[in-house]
Amino acid sequence: MAQAAPASPAQSLAGVNACFACALHMHQPTIPAGAHGELISHLQYMLEHPGEGDNHNAEPFAQCYRRMADLIPQLIAEGCNPRIMLDYSGTLLWGFEQMGRRDILDALHQLACDPSLQLHVEWLGTFWGHAVASSTPVADFALQIQAWQHHFAALFGEAALQRVRGFSLPEMHLPNDPDVLFALVVALKQAGYRWLLVQEHSVENTDGSGLSHAECLVPHQLVARNRAGQLAEITALIKTQGSDTKLVGQMQPFYEAMGLQPVELGSTTIPPLVAQIADGENGGVMMNEFPPAFIQSYQRLRDDADGRTTAINGTEYLDRLAASGVSEQDFTPIQAAGQHRFWKEADSGGPVNLEGSSWTNNISWVEGYTNVLEPMQELSARFHQRFDAAVADDPGTTRSPAYQNALLHLLLLETSCFRYWGQGTWTDYARELFRRGLAGIEQPH
């Protein structure tokens, strides 16, 4: 992805005490659960089975996916200066297309393409199939990243894609195996991403200590060193605390930023950044409390004459720091949690947990899921065995139905949802995706 220009000329942050940034994460998996076993969005399944669980919320969820196209223009018309970052999985976007939900797709097109909204709305890239990075085969990182980029460009245009500079990891899950993290950072940089949003407990200082709250409020450089000693790095903005929709739903970043003062970064003074991300539709807080809290925060910000607190998006923050003379070389290096212990114990052979960390550290994405992970690894290996050499010889192979069908099932099988809800229906879905994917790969060339 080529280097993109800022949506508007970057201004310095002189006179600003603190900034805040909110992101909304949106996702629904694709499941083999149509009337005749077709691949459908879980959102469609919810709509068709309203009596199960909280499926009665399906249409409220659907409205959450489009409502920023109402809220942002409304606030601009009221003289406010709102900001929001959006992270939509590829499976969710595909689901809207499958369901013919032009109301949602048209709203998202406005948010991605309307010139009057580009300063206010920043889209974040992600893995197309909402895969957990630490347990996804390294060879598939580029496939997940590129599939999302291609899909986003197909929906909203190449110019919109060029403005996507930040990346949001599914489940905020940062791998801490040195080789896996290195491969991830390399793949992100090769795809043109400039920065990564990370959860504070998934990173550590280079001496192994955790980050203080103050350290979480300034940019860092995430450094990945693999076992061969190679280095890769990417700028990291840090989301504080764990998975709690109330942090965004009740606009905690705004209220915390209101009480902050500028901080020292190297030889420069900069405004700290309070950054948060939450599921944009999940639970009563986000469905019901967030819209009025979002509106009220920006109305209060508009009416506060001193302008010392400002809303900002991630790339805009970095651009404005750069305009103030701050460069990536001024950002303190950090590493994935557990790296200090790993390198300390590597020679002694001591046990180190290499599952990585996410915003739900009470959940393992590995333990108890051999019946999903082994098929996932096998399907990935078989996919690359069949197609890698063919694609190298003829890149047009990627347009063949066989390749695209196999790729689709591989990306879908890596979806985190199949390892979130425990054994049962969801692991059955995974096994069915594996069966179909493998059958496609094994078809004669």
PDB file of all heavy atoms in Angstrom, residues 15-21 213-218 240 252-263 269-276 304 306-310 317:
ATOM      1  N   GLY A  15      -0.606  24.452  22.534  1.00  0.00           N
ATOM      2  CA  GLY A  15      -1.766  24.961  23.251  1.00  0.00           C
ATOM      3  C   GLY A  15      -2.759  23.907  23.674  1.00  0.00           C
ATOM      4  O   GLY A  15      -3.732  24.215  24.367  1.00  0.00           O
ATOM      5  N   VAL A  16      -2.534  22.649  23.261  1.00  0.00           N
ATOM      6  CA  VAL A  16      -3.426  21.555  23.640  1.00  0.00           C
ATOM      7  C   VAL A  16      -2.846  20.824  24.851  1.00  0.00           C
ATOM      8  O   VAL A  16      -1.678  20.434  24.841  1.00  0.00           O
ATOM      9  CB  VAL A  16      -3.622  20.572  22.472  1.00  0.00           C
ATOM     10  CG1 VAL A  16      -4.478  19.385  22.904  1.00  0.00           C
ATOM     11  CG2 VAL A  16      -4.245  21.283  21.279  1.00  0.00           C
ATOM     12  N   ASN A  17      -3.648  20.645  25.875  1.00  0.00           N
ATOM     13  CA  ASN A  17      -3.189  19.931  27.073  1.00  0.00           C
ATOM     14  C   ASN A  17      -3.217  18.421  26.887  1.00  0.00           C
ATOM     15  O   ASN A  17      -2.304  17.713  27.317  1.00  0.00           O
ATOM     16  CB  ASN A  17      -4.054  20.294  28.280  1.00  0.00           C
ATOM     17  CG  ASN A  17      -3.698  21.640  28.877  1.00  0.00           C
ATOM     18  OD1 ASN A  17      -2.697  22.244  28.502  1.00  0.00           O
ATOM     19  ND2 ASN A  17      -4.521  22.102  29.793  1.00  0.00           N
ATOM     20  N   ALA A  18      -4.294  17.909  26.299  1.00  0.00           N
ATOM     21  CA  ALA A  18      -4.450  16.460  26.163  1.00  0.00           C
ATOM     22  C   ALA A  18      -5.409  16.135  25.033  1.00  0.00           C
ATOM     23  O   ALA A  18      -6.256  16.950  24.658  1.00  0.00           O
ATOM     24  CB  ALA A  18      -4.955  15.847  27.476  1.00  0.00           C
ATOM     25  N   CYS A  19      -5.271  14.921  24.516  1.00  0.00           N
ATOM     26  CA  CYS A  19      -6.118  14.435  23.421  1.00  0.00           C
ATOM     27  C   CYS A  19      -6.781  13.132  23.834  1.00  0.00           C
ATOM     28  O   CYS A  19      -6.310  12.418  24.722  1.00  0.00           O
ATOM     29  CB  CYS A  19      -5.275  14.180  22.171  1.00  0.00           C
ATOM     30  SG  CYS A  19      -4.336  15.596  21.559  1.00  0.00           S
ATOM     31  N   PHE A  20      -7.887  12.811  23.162  1.00  0.00           N
ATOM     32  CA  PHE A  20      -8.518  11.507  23.377  1.00  0.00           C
ATOM     33  C   PHE A  20      -8.967  10.952  22.041  1.00  0.00           C
ATOM     34  O   PHE A  20      -9.275  11.695  21.101  1.00  0.00           O
ATOM     35  CB  PHE A  20      -9.686  11.599  24.362  1.00  0.00           C
ATOM     36  CG  PHE A  20     -10.887  12.348  23.853  1.00  0.00           C
ATOM     37  CD1 PHE A  20     -11.947  11.687  23.240  1.00  0.00           C
ATOM     38  CD2 PHE A  20     -10.966  13.731  23.982  1.00  0.00           C
ATOM     39  CE1 PHE A  20     -13.055  12.374  22.779  1.00  0.00           C
ATOM     40  CE2 PHE A  20     -12.069  14.432  23.526  1.00  0.00           C
ATOM     41  CZ  PHE A  20     -13.120  13.759  22.924  1.00  0.00           C
ATOM     42  N   ALA A  21      -8.978   9.620  21.966  1.00  0.00           N
ATOM     43  CA  ALA A  21      -9.345   8.927  20.734  1.00  0.00           C
ATOM     44  C   ALA A  21     -10.185   7.711  21.077  1.00  0.00           C
ATOM     45  O   ALA A  21      -9.828   6.935  21.966  1.00  0.00           O
ATOM     46  CB  ALA A  21      -8.091   8.493  19.971  1.00  0.00           C
ATOM     47  N   HIS A 213       0.776   4.027  33.986  1.00  0.00           N
ATOM     48  CA  HIS A 213      -0.356   4.633  33.288  1.00  0.00           C
ATOM     49  C   HIS A 213       0.104   5.820  32.450  1.00  0.00           C
ATOM     50  O   HIS A 213      -0.345   5.989  31.306  1.00  0.00           O
ATOM     51  CB  HIS A 213      -1.420   5.078  34.286  1.00  0.00           C
ATOM     52  CG  HIS A 213      -2.668   5.584  33.623  1.00  0.00           C
ATOM     53  ND1 HIS A 213      -3.531   4.759  32.916  1.00  0.00           N
ATOM     54  CD2 HIS A 213      -3.186   6.840  33.518  1.00  0.00           C
ATOM     55  CE1 HIS A 213      -4.522   5.479  32.411  1.00  0.00           C
ATOM     56  NE2 HIS A 213      -4.343   6.741  32.773  1.00  0.00           N
ATOM     57  N   ALA A 214       1.020   6.611  32.982  1.00  0.00           N
ATOM     58  CA  ALA A 214       1.513   7.772  32.235  1.00  0.00           C
ATOM     59  C   ALA A 214       2.214   7.337  30.957  1.00  0.00           C
ATOM     60  O   ALA A 214       2.087   7.988  29.915  1.00  0.00           O
ATOM     61  CB  ALA A 214       2.454   8.599  33.117  1.00  0.00           C
ATOM     62  N   GLU A 215       2.949   6.227  31.023  1.00  0.00           N
ATOM     63  CA  GLU A 215       3.649   5.741  29.832  1.00  0.00           C
ATOM     64  C   GLU A 215       2.676   5.272  28.765  1.00  0.00           C
ATOM     65  O   GLU A 215       3.002   5.300  27.568  1.00  0.00           O
ATOM     66  CB  GLU A 215       4.592   4.601  30.216  1.00  0.00           C
ATOM     67  CG  GLU A 215       5.809   5.051  30.995  1.00  0.00           C
ATOM     68  CD  GLU A 215       6.663   3.897  31.475  1.00  0.00           C
ATOM     69  OE1 GLU A 215       6.094   2.867  31.918  1.00  0.00           O
ATOM     70  OE2 GLU A 215       7.909   4.012  31.407  1.00  0.00           O
ATOM     71  N   CYS A 216       1.481   4.858  29.167  1.00  0.00           N
ATOM     72  CA  CYS A 216       0.488   4.387  28.202  1.00  0.00           C
ATOM     73  C   CYS A 216      -0.120   5.526  27.387  1.00  0.00           C
ATOM     74  O   CYS A 216      -0.811   5.266  26.397  1.00  0.00           O
ATOM     75  CB  CYS A 216      -0.643   3.642  28.921  1.00  0.00           C
ATOM     76  SG  CYS A 216      -0.148   2.086  29.660  1.00  0.00           S
ATOM     77  N   LEU A 217       0.123   6.754  27.798  1.00  0.00           N
ATOM     78  CA  LEU A 217      -0.548   7.898  27.179  1.00  0.00           C
ATOM     79  C   LEU A 217       0.307   8.607  26.137  1.00  0.00           C
ATOM     80  O   LEU A 217      -0.061   9.681  25.660  1.00  0.00           O
ATOM     81  CB  LEU A 217      -0.982   8.890  28.264  1.00  0.00           C
ATOM     82  CG  LEU A 217      -1.877   8.300  29.371  1.00  0.00           C
ATOM     83  CD1 LEU A 217      -2.252   9.382  30.378  1.00  0.00           C
ATOM     84  CD2 LEU A 217      -3.130   7.660  28.784  1.00  0.00           C
ATOM     85  N   VAL A 218       1.447   8.004  25.771  1.00  0.00           N
ATOM     86  CA  VAL A 218       2.294   8.572  24.717  1.00  0.00           C
ATOM     87  C   VAL A 218       2.640   7.461  23.727  1.00  0.00           C
ATOM     88  O   VAL A 218       2.599   6.275  24.069  1.00  0.00           O
ATOM     89  CB  VAL A 218       3.587   9.192  25.292  1.00  0.00           C
ATOM     90  CG1 VAL A 218       3.256  10.376  26.187  1.00  0.00           C
ATOM     91  CG2 VAL A 218       4.401   8.159  26.053  1.00  0.00           C
ATOM     92  N   THR A 240      -5.559   1.734  27.073  1.00  0.00           N
ATOM     93  CA  THR A 240      -5.414   1.404  28.479  1.00  0.00           C
ATOM     94  C   THR A 240      -6.532   0.480  28.943  1.00  0.00           C
ATOM     95  O   THR A 240      -7.620   0.457  28.373  1.00  0.00           O
ATOM     96  CB  THR A 240      -5.417   2.676  29.352  1.00  0.00           C
ATOM     97  OG1 THR A 240      -6.659   3.363  29.172  1.00  0.00           O
ATOM     98  CG2 THR A 240      -4.275   3.600  28.978  1.00  0.00           C
ATOM     99  N   GLN A 252     -15.221   7.546  28.663  1.00  0.00           N
ATOM    100  CA  GLN A 252     -14.142   7.708  29.647  1.00  0.00           C
ATOM    101  C   GLN A 252     -12.917   8.432  29.083  1.00  0.00           C
ATOM    102  O   GLN A 252     -12.309   9.255  29.786  1.00  0.00           O
ATOM    103  CB  GLN A 252     -13.747   6.331  30.200  1.00  0.00           C
ATOM    104  CG  GLN A 252     -12.531   6.343  31.118  1.00  0.00           C
ATOM    105  CD  GLN A 252     -11.221   6.082  30.381  1.00  0.00           C
ATOM    106  OE1 GLN A 252     -11.231   5.576  29.245  1.00  0.00           O
ATOM    107  NE2 GLN A 252     -10.097   6.439  30.986  1.00  0.00           N
ATOM    108  N   PRO A 253     -12.499   8.179  27.827  1.00  0.00           N
ATOM    109  CA  PRO A 253     -11.320   8.882  27.323  1.00  0.00           C
ATOM    110  C   PRO A 253     -11.464  10.404  27.375  1.00  0.00           C
ATOM    111  O   PRO A 253     -10.506  11.114  27.695  1.00  0.00           O
ATOM    112  CB  PRO A 253     -11.193   8.378  25.882  1.00  0.00           C
ATOM    113  CG  PRO A 253     -11.858   7.047  25.906  1.00  0.00           C
ATOM    114  CD  PRO A 253     -13.004   7.192  26.857  1.00  0.00           C
ATOM    115  N   PHE A 254     -12.647  10.899  27.051  1.00  0.00           N
ATOM    116  CA  PHE A 254     -12.887  12.347  27.086  1.00  0.00           C
ATOM    117  C   PHE A 254     -12.729  12.884  28.508  1.00  0.00           C
ATOM    118  O   PHE A 254     -12.031  13.877  28.737  1.00  0.00           O
ATOM    119  CB  PHE A 254     -14.280  12.656  26.551  1.00  0.00           C
ATOM    120  CG  PHE A 254     -14.781  14.040  26.865  1.00  0.00           C
ATOM    121  CD1 PHE A 254     -14.162  15.160  26.337  1.00  0.00           C
ATOM    122  CD2 PHE A 254     -15.874  14.219  27.701  1.00  0.00           C
ATOM    123  CE1 PHE A 254     -14.625  16.440  26.634  1.00  0.00           C
ATOM    124  CE2 PHE A 254     -16.348  15.491  27.995  1.00  0.00           C
ATOM    125  CZ  PHE A 254     -15.716  16.606  27.465  1.00  0.00           C
ATOM    126  N   TYR A 255     -13.355  12.213  29.451  1.00  0.00           N
ATOM    127  CA  TYR A 255     -13.338  12.729  30.820  1.00  0.00           C
ATOM    128  C   TYR A 255     -11.955  12.605  31.453  1.00  0.00           C
ATOM    129  O   TYR A 255     -11.532  13.478  32.215  1.00  0.00           O
ATOM    130  CB  TYR A 255     -14.407  12.003  31.656  1.00  0.00           C
ATOM    131  CG  TYR A 255     -15.792  12.377  31.200  1.00  0.00           C
ATOM    132  CD1 TYR A 255     -16.542  11.510  30.399  1.00  0.00           C
ATOM    133  CD2 TYR A 255     -16.343  13.615  31.523  1.00  0.00           C
ATOM    134  CE1 TYR A 255     -17.806  11.864  29.946  1.00  0.00           C
ATOM    135  CE2 TYR A 255     -17.610  13.975  31.074  1.00  0.00           C
ATOM    136  CZ  TYR A 255     -18.335  13.098  30.284  1.00  0.00           C
ATOM    137  OH  TYR A 255     -19.580  13.475  29.839  1.00  0.00           O
ATOM    138  N   GLU A 256     -11.210  11.549  31.126  1.00  0.00           N
ATOM    139  CA  GLU A 256      -9.842  11.465  31.637  1.00  0.00           C
ATOM    140  C   GLU A 256      -8.963  12.543  31.026  1.00  0.00           C
ATOM    141  O   GLU A 256      -8.170  13.194  31.724  1.00  0.00           O
ATOM    142  CB  GLU A 256      -9.237  10.088  31.370  1.00  0.00           C
ATOM    143  CG  GLU A 256      -7.811   9.985  31.898  1.00  0.00           C
ATOM    144  CD  GLU A 256      -7.185   8.613  31.751  1.00  0.00           C
ATOM    145  OE1 GLU A 256      -7.906   7.644  31.450  1.00  0.00           O
ATOM    146  OE2 GLU A 256      -5.954   8.508  31.939  1.00  0.00           O
ATOM    147  N   ALA A 257      -9.089  12.739  29.717  1.00  0.00           N
ATOM    148  CA  ALA A 257      -8.256  13.743  29.046  1.00  0.00           C
ATOM    149  C   ALA A 257      -8.506  15.143  29.598  1.00  0.00           C
ATOM    150  O   ALA A 257      -7.588  15.973  29.649  1.00  0.00           O
ATOM    151  CB  ALA A 257      -8.511  13.713  27.540  1.00  0.00           C
ATOM    152  N   MET A 258      -9.734  15.405  30.037  1.00  0.00           N
ATOM    153  CA  MET A 258     -10.057  16.735  30.571  1.00  0.00           C
ATOM    154  C   MET A 258      -9.188  17.103  31.769  1.00  0.00           C
ATOM    155  O   MET A 258      -8.977  18.277  32.052  1.00  0.00           O
ATOM    156  CB  MET A 258     -11.534  16.777  30.977  1.00  0.00           C
ATOM    157  CG  MET A 258     -12.503  16.754  29.813  1.00  0.00           C
ATOM    158  SD  MET A 258     -12.746  18.367  29.048  1.00  0.00           S
ATOM    159  CE  MET A 258     -13.809  19.155  30.259  1.00  0.00           C
ATOM    160  N   GLY A 259      -8.669  16.095  32.476  1.00  0.00           N
ATOM    161  CA  GLY A 259      -7.886  16.377  33.668  1.00  0.00           C
ATOM    162  C   GLY A 259      -6.389  16.244  33.486  1.00  0.00           C
ATOM    163  O   GLY A 259      -5.650  16.282  34.473  1.00  0.00           O
ATOM    164  N   LEU A 260      -5.921  16.089  32.250  1.00  0.00           N
ATOM    165  CA  LEU A 260      -4.498  15.865  32.017  1.00  0.00           C
ATOM    166  C   LEU A 260      -3.776  17.127  31.558  1.00  0.00           C
ATOM    167  O   LEU A 260      -4.388  18.059  31.047  1.00  0.00           O
ATOM    168  CB  LEU A 260      -4.317  14.767  30.969  1.00  0.00           C
ATOM    169  CG  LEU A 260      -4.828  13.366  31.353  1.00  0.00           C
ATOM    170  CD1 LEU A 260      -4.651  12.400  30.188  1.00  0.00           C
ATOM    171  CD2 LEU A 260      -4.108  12.847  32.596  1.00  0.00           C
ATOM    172  N   GLN A 261      -2.462  17.095  31.736  1.00  0.00           N
ATOM    173  CA  GLN A 261      -1.584  18.183  31.323  1.00  0.00           C
ATOM    174  C   GLN A 261      -0.538  17.651  30.355  1.00  0.00           C
ATOM    175  O   GLN A 261      -0.297  16.440  30.278  1.00  0.00           O
ATOM    176  CB  GLN A 261      -0.897  18.795  32.547  1.00  0.00           C
ATOM    177  CG  GLN A 261      -1.836  19.455  33.540  1.00  0.00           C
ATOM    178  CD  GLN A 261      -2.523  20.679  32.958  1.00  0.00           C
ATOM    179  OE1 GLN A 261      -1.899  21.460  32.230  1.00  0.00           O
ATOM    180  NE2 GLN A 261      -3.814  20.839  33.269  1.00  0.00           N
ATOM    181  N   PRO A 262       0.112  18.533  29.579  1.00  0.00           N
ATOM    182  CA  PRO A 262       1.168  18.086  28.667  1.00  0.00           C
ATOM    183  C   PRO A 262       2.280  17.345  29.403  1.00  0.00           C
ATOM    184  O   PRO A 262       2.501  17.562  30.601  1.00  0.00           O
ATOM    185  CB  PRO A 262       1.677  19.385  28.043  1.00  0.00           C
ATOM    186  CG  PRO A 262       0.521  20.325  28.152  1.00  0.00           C
ATOM    187  CD  PRO A 262      -0.158  19.979  29.438  1.00  0.00           C
ATOM    188  N   VAL A 263       2.963  16.458  28.674  1.00  0.00           N
ATOM    189  CA  VAL A 263       4.031  15.649  29.259  1.00  0.00           C
ATOM    190  C   VAL A 263       5.295  15.784  28.417  1.00  0.00           C
ATOM    191  O   VAL A 263       5.252  16.203  27.257  1.00  0.00           O
ATOM    192  CB  VAL A 263       3.614  14.163  29.343  1.00  0.00           C
ATOM    193  CG1 VAL A 263       2.413  14.000  30.263  1.00  0.00           C
ATOM    194  CG2 VAL A 263       3.298  13.601  27.956  1.00  0.00           C
ATOM    195  N   THR A 269       7.614  18.804  24.607  1.00  0.00           N
ATOM    196  CA  THR A 269       6.411  18.672  25.418  1.00  0.00           C
ATOM    197  C   THR A 269       5.237  18.399  24.490  1.00  0.00           C
ATOM    198  O   THR A 269       5.022  19.115  23.516  1.00  0.00           O
ATOM    199  CB  THR A 269       6.143  19.949  26.228  1.00  0.00           C
ATOM    200  OG1 THR A 269       7.263  20.197  27.092  1.00  0.00           O
ATOM    201  CG2 THR A 269       4.893  19.804  27.076  1.00  0.00           C
ATOM    202  N   ILE A 270       4.494  17.329  24.792  1.00  0.00           N
ATOM    203  CA  ILE A 270       3.369  16.947  23.929  1.00  0.00           C
ATOM    204  C   ILE A 270       2.122  16.701  24.774  1.00  0.00           C
ATOM    205  O   ILE A 270       2.221  16.411  25.968  1.00  0.00           O
ATOM    206  CB  ILE A 270       3.683  15.684  23.102  1.00  0.00           C
ATOM    207  CG1 ILE A 270       3.755  14.438  24.025  1.00  0.00           C
ATOM    208  CG2 ILE A 270       4.958  15.843  22.299  1.00  0.00           C
ATOM    209  CD1 ILE A 270       3.732  13.127  23.281  1.00  0.00           C
ATOM    210  N   PRO A 271       0.944  16.803  24.163  1.00  0.00           N
ATOM    211  CA  PRO A 271      -0.274  16.411  24.887  1.00  0.00           C
ATOM    212  C   PRO A 271      -0.393  14.893  24.923  1.00  0.00           C
ATOM    213  O   PRO A 271      -0.183  14.227  23.899  1.00  0.00           O
ATOM    214  CB  PRO A 271      -1.399  17.039  24.057  1.00  0.00           C
ATOM    215  CG  PRO A 271      -0.838  17.140  22.681  1.00  0.00           C
ATOM    216  CD  PRO A 271       0.638  17.347  22.822  1.00  0.00           C
ATOM    217  N   PRO A 272      -0.690  14.306  26.072  1.00  0.00           N
ATOM    218  CA  PRO A 272      -0.910  12.851  26.116  1.00  0.00           C
ATOM    219  C   PRO A 272      -2.178  12.466  25.365  1.00  0.00           C
ATOM    220  O   PRO A 272      -3.044  13.306  25.116  1.00  0.00           O
ATOM    221  CB  PRO A 272      -1.032  12.565  27.612  1.00  0.00           C
ATOM    222  CG  PRO A 272      -1.530  13.849  28.198  1.00  0.00           C
ATOM    223  CD  PRO A 272      -0.906  14.940  27.372  1.00  0.00           C
ATOM    224  N   LEU A 273      -2.265  11.188  25.023  1.00  0.00           N
ATOM    225  CA  LEU A 273      -3.418  10.665  24.288  1.00  0.00           C
ATOM    226  C   LEU A 273      -4.061   9.544  25.092  1.00  0.00           C
ATOM    227  O   LEU A 273      -3.413   8.540  25.400  1.00  0.00           O
ATOM    228  CB  LEU A 273      -2.981  10.121  22.919  1.00  0.00           C
ATOM    229  CG  LEU A 273      -4.066   9.397  22.113  1.00  0.00           C
ATOM    230  CD1 LEU A 273      -5.113  10.389  21.613  1.00  0.00           C
ATOM    231  CD2 LEU A 273      -3.453   8.623  20.942  1.00  0.00           C
ATOM    232  N   VAL A 274      -5.338   9.706  25.422  1.00  0.00           N
ATOM    233  CA  VAL A 274      -6.110   8.626  26.040  1.00  0.00           C
ATOM    234  C   VAL A 274      -6.849   7.907  24.919  1.00  0.00           C
ATOM    235  O   VAL A 274      -7.725   8.490  24.275  1.00  0.00           O
ATOM    236  CB  VAL A 274      -7.124   9.171  27.068  1.00  0.00           C
ATOM    237  CG1 VAL A 274      -7.831   8.002  27.769  1.00  0.00           C
ATOM    238  CG2 VAL A 274      -6.438  10.071  28.089  1.00  0.00           C
ATOM    239  N   ALA A 275      -6.480   6.657  24.657  1.00  0.00           N
ATOM    240  CA  ALA A 275      -7.058   5.908  23.539  1.00  0.00           C
ATOM    241  C   ALA A 275      -7.827   4.699  24.060  1.00  0.00           C
ATOM    242  O   ALA A 275      -7.350   3.989  24.955  1.00  0.00           O
ATOM    243  CB  ALA A 275      -5.966   5.445  22.580  1.00  0.00           C
ATOM    244  N   GLN A 276      -9.001   4.469  23.491  1.00  0.00           N
ATOM    245  CA  GLN A 276      -9.811   3.317  23.858  1.00  0.00           C
ATOM    246  C   GLN A 276     -10.470   2.727  22.612  1.00  0.00           C
ATOM    247  O   GLN A 276     -10.759   3.445  21.655  1.00  0.00           O
ATOM    248  CB  GLN A 276     -10.909   3.697  24.854  1.00  0.00           C
ATOM    249  CG  GLN A 276     -10.423   4.095  26.224  1.00  0.00           C
ATOM    250  CD  GLN A 276      -9.846   2.932  27.016  1.00  0.00           C
ATOM    251  OE1 GLN A 276      -9.873   1.785  26.576  1.00  0.00           O
ATOM    252  NE2 GLN A 276      -9.301   3.234  28.181  1.00  0.00           N
ATOM    253  N   ASP A 304     -16.760  24.426  25.534  1.00  0.00           N
ATOM    254  CA  ASP A 304     -15.610  24.724  26.404  1.00  0.00           C
ATOM    255  C   ASP A 304     -14.662  25.627  25.620  1.00  0.00           C
ATOM    256  O   ASP A 304     -14.002  25.201  24.685  1.00  0.00           O
ATOM    257  CB  ASP A 304     -14.922  23.422  26.797  1.00  0.00           C
ATOM    258  CG  ASP A 304     -13.773  23.651  27.766  1.00  0.00           C
ATOM    259  OD1 ASP A 304     -13.552  24.813  28.155  1.00  0.00           O
ATOM    260  OD2 ASP A 304     -13.091  22.678  28.119  1.00  0.00           O
ATOM    261  N   ASP A 306     -11.752  27.065  26.108  1.00  0.00           N
ATOM    262  CA  ASP A 306     -10.290  27.131  26.121  1.00  0.00           C
ATOM    263  C   ASP A 306      -9.618  26.194  25.123  1.00  0.00           C
ATOM    264  O   ASP A 306      -8.459  26.396  24.770  1.00  0.00           O
ATOM    265  CB  ASP A 306      -9.744  26.888  27.533  1.00  0.00           C
ATOM    266  CG  ASP A 306      -9.964  25.461  28.033  1.00  0.00           C
ATOM    267  OD1 ASP A 306     -10.352  24.601  27.228  1.00  0.00           O
ATOM    268  OD2 ASP A 306      -9.737  25.225  29.232  1.00  0.00           O
ATOM    269  N   GLY A 307     -10.331  25.150  24.632  1.00  0.00           N
ATOM    270  CA  GLY A 307      -9.757  24.281  23.616  1.00  0.00           C
ATOM    271  C   GLY A 307      -8.548  23.497  24.063  1.00  0.00           C
ATOM    272  O   GLY A 307      -7.744  23.054  23.237  1.00  0.00           O
ATOM    273  N   ARG A 308      -8.407  23.294  25.358  1.00  0.00           N
ATOM    274  CA  ARG A 308      -7.225  22.605  25.875  1.00  0.00           C
ATOM    275  C   ARG A 308      -7.310  21.087  25.724  1.00  0.00           C
ATOM    276  O   ARG A 308      -6.304  20.398  25.790  1.00  0.00           O
ATOM    277  CB  ARG A 308      -7.021  22.953  27.354  1.00  0.00           C
ATOM    278  CG  ARG A 308      -6.712  24.417  27.608  1.00  0.00           C
ATOM    279  CD  ARG A 308      -5.344  24.776  27.084  1.00  0.00           C
ATOM    280  NE  ARG A 308      -4.972  26.154  27.407  1.00  0.00           N
ATOM    281  CZ  ARG A 308      -3.792  26.688  27.135  1.00  0.00           C
ATOM    282  NH1 ARG A 308      -2.878  25.959  26.523  1.00  0.00           N
ATOM    283  NH2 ARG A 308      -3.523  27.931  27.452  1.00  0.00           N
ATOM    284  N   THR A 309      -8.514  20.578  25.566  1.00  0.00           N
ATOM    285  CA  THR A 309      -8.720  19.145  25.325  1.00  0.00           C
ATOM    286  C   THR A 309      -9.285  18.991  23.925  1.00  0.00           C
ATOM    287  O   THR A 309     -10.196  19.719  23.538  1.00  0.00           O
ATOM    288  CB  THR A 309      -9.701  18.551  26.353  1.00  0.00           C
ATOM    289  OG1 THR A 309      -9.207  18.788  27.672  1.00  0.00           O
ATOM    290  CG2 THR A 309      -9.876  17.060  26.129  1.00  0.00           C
ATOM    291  N   THR A 310      -8.733  18.044  23.181  1.00  0.00           N
ATOM    292  CA  THR A 310      -9.204  17.882  21.803  1.00  0.00           C
ATOM    293  C   THR A 310      -9.373  16.426  21.444  1.00  0.00           C
ATOM    294  O   THR A 310      -8.589  15.564  21.872  1.00  0.00           O
ATOM    295  CB  THR A 310      -8.231  18.552  20.805  1.00  0.00           C
ATOM    296  OG1 THR A 310      -8.805  18.552  19.506  1.00  0.00           O
ATOM    297  CG2 THR A 310      -6.897  17.842  20.749  1.00  0.00           C
ATOM    298  N   TYR A 317      -3.117  12.308  15.105  1.00  0.00           N
ATOM    299  CA  TYR A 317      -2.269  12.586  16.273  1.00  0.00           C
ATOM    300  C   TYR A 317      -0.794  12.478  15.892  1.00  0.00           C
ATOM    301  O   TYR A 317       0.010  13.372  16.191  1.00  0.00           O
ATOM    302  CB  TYR A 317      -2.615  11.600  17.379  1.00  0.00           C
ATOM    303  CG  TYR A 317      -1.838  11.767  18.669  1.00  0.00           C
ATOM    304  CD1 TYR A 317      -1.945  12.911  19.448  1.00  0.00           C
ATOM    305  CD2 TYR A 317      -1.015  10.737  19.128  1.00  0.00           C
ATOM    306  CE1 TYR A 317      -1.262  13.043  20.646  1.00  0.00           C
ATOM    307  CE2 TYR A 317      -0.319  10.855  20.325  1.00  0.00           C
ATOM    308  CZ  TYR A 317      -0.444  11.999  21.081  1.00  0.00           C
ATOM    309  OH  TYR A 317       0.244  12.124  22.269  1.00  0.00           O
TER     310      TYR A 317
END
